[in-house]
Amino acid sequence: MPAGTSHHLPVTIRVAHCETDLRKVLAVRAAAAGGAGAKAADPAPETWDERPNATLLLAESRVDGEPLGSLRIILAGERGRLAVQDRIDLPAVLKADSIAEASRLAVRPGRNATLVRLMLWKAFHRYCLAAQADTMLIAVREPADRQYEWLGFRDPQSGPIRFAPDGRGAATHRLMVLGVFEARERALGVGHPLHDFFFVERHPEIDLLAVVDPNGAAHRVPRHAGLPDHAGIAAQLQEVAIV
């Protein structure tokens, strides 16, 4: 497939910027947890949603704007701690890395659920490139970790690191990593069926530069604006060659 091939998909991905967007994220989490028709009585954001080093990605339907999925990205290093560090100490091999943690993946059940999940992961990778993160980190419930092995994620050290997300009880989650710049070479080397989707096809529906104001009007993030950290990172995506 030629580089730069553009595909128009029924799902859009953008950064959540306002209170209305946050309510959409919470609604998606409630639906993902309880089924397509589920609604939380009074959903509230988590502490990590509002940290200065956190960014929420929001997937929506191109047809009617219905929220379809969300993913939280947390940047480590001088920007702050990772959410997973509330539960475990990072292994020494990761402490010198610039890490981006993906968590709270939520996808509303339905026909486009798989596509939404893949587009959120592609957006996460693009965000990491712009943020100059070295490593993508996830904590995955077993046995779903096998799906992420298929995507290239692996243990950060010789043996698996498992932990209980609530800090007690059985260890049900596994810490996994994938190098941001390793991802493309790894997919190419094994002939991964999603290589073109992630690294060749252009998906203009993934727009991490657009801001939607409270009135619903979209505009582009100006480079000179005094932006919060996550919006400044998004602006750098204009310089990213891999789409």
Side-chain angles (χ1 to χ4, degrees):
M1 181 180 295
T5 300
S6 183
H7 290 256
H8 296 287
L9 301 175
V11 176
T12 64
I13 308 288
R14 62 181 177 85
V15 173
H17 284 281
C18 62
E19 194 66 29
T20 299
D21 290 345
L22 181 57
R23 288 198 295 270
K24 288 184 176 183
V25 168
L26 298 177
V28 163
R29 289 177 183 172
K39 291 184 179 180
D42 186 19
E46 298 173 1
T47 300
W48 281 99
D49 292 333
E50 301 176 317
R51 294 288 178 92
N53 59 328
T55 297
L56 298 176
L57 299 184
L58 177 62
E60 298 169 299
S61 167
R62 285 185 65 187
V63 177
D64 56 13
E66 179 186 17
L68 300 176
S70 67
L71 182 72
R72 183 172 64 207
I73 303 171
I74 298 176
L75 298 173
E78 40 185 52
R79 300 179 177 103
R81 287 167 52 83
L82 299 172
V84 74
Q85 289 179 284
D86 283 353
R87 296 288 174 258
I88 60 171
D89 290 328
L90 291 180
V93 69
L94 292 179
K95 290 185 177 177
D97 286 355
S98 173
I99 299 173
E101 176 188 3
S103 59
R104 288 306 259 131
L105 173 67
V107 177
R108 186 185 295 273
R111 183 179 61 181
N112 289 319
T114 298
L115 176 62
V116 170
R117 186 175 289 105
L118 291 176
M119 289 183 71
L120 284 167
W121 283 116
K122 176 166 180 169
F124 174 45
H125 183 256
R126 290 193 65 202
Y127 195 94
C128 290
L129 286 168
Q132 299 180 351
D134 301 319
T135 303
M136 296 180 285
L137 180 146
I138 58 175
V140 187
R141 180 184 294 275
E142 297 176 308
D145 55 333
R146 302 304 178 192
Q147 300 174 25
Y148 294 93
E149 286 181 348
W150 184 71
L151 290 174
F153 284 85
R154 54 179 171 75
D155 296 314
Q157 57 186 29
S158 58
I161 299 174
R162 296 183 172 92
F163 66 98
D166 61 359
R168 56 186 184 275
T172 58
H173 284 61
R174 175 182 172 192
L175 198 68
M176 304 181 78
V177 296
L178 176 61
V180 173
F181 296 99
E182 168 196 7
R184 184 175 189 175
E185 294 303 317
R186 188 181 182 95
L188 183 62
V190 301
H192 199 286
L194 290 176
H195 172 271
D196 285 359
F197 177 89
F198 279 107
F199 305 111
V200 177
E201 297 174 11
R202 295 185 61 87
H203 294 134
E205 295 83 7
I206 299 176
D207 187 358
L208 305 185
L209 296 170
V211 175
V212 178
D213 66 27
N215 297 318
H219 61 278
R220 304 295 288 183
V221 177
R223 280 185 168 273
H224 60 274
L227 300 171
D229 183 57
H230 67 269
I233 291 167
Q236 295 180 43
L237 284 166
Q238 291 174 323
E239 309 301 326
V240 175
I242 300 175
V243 297

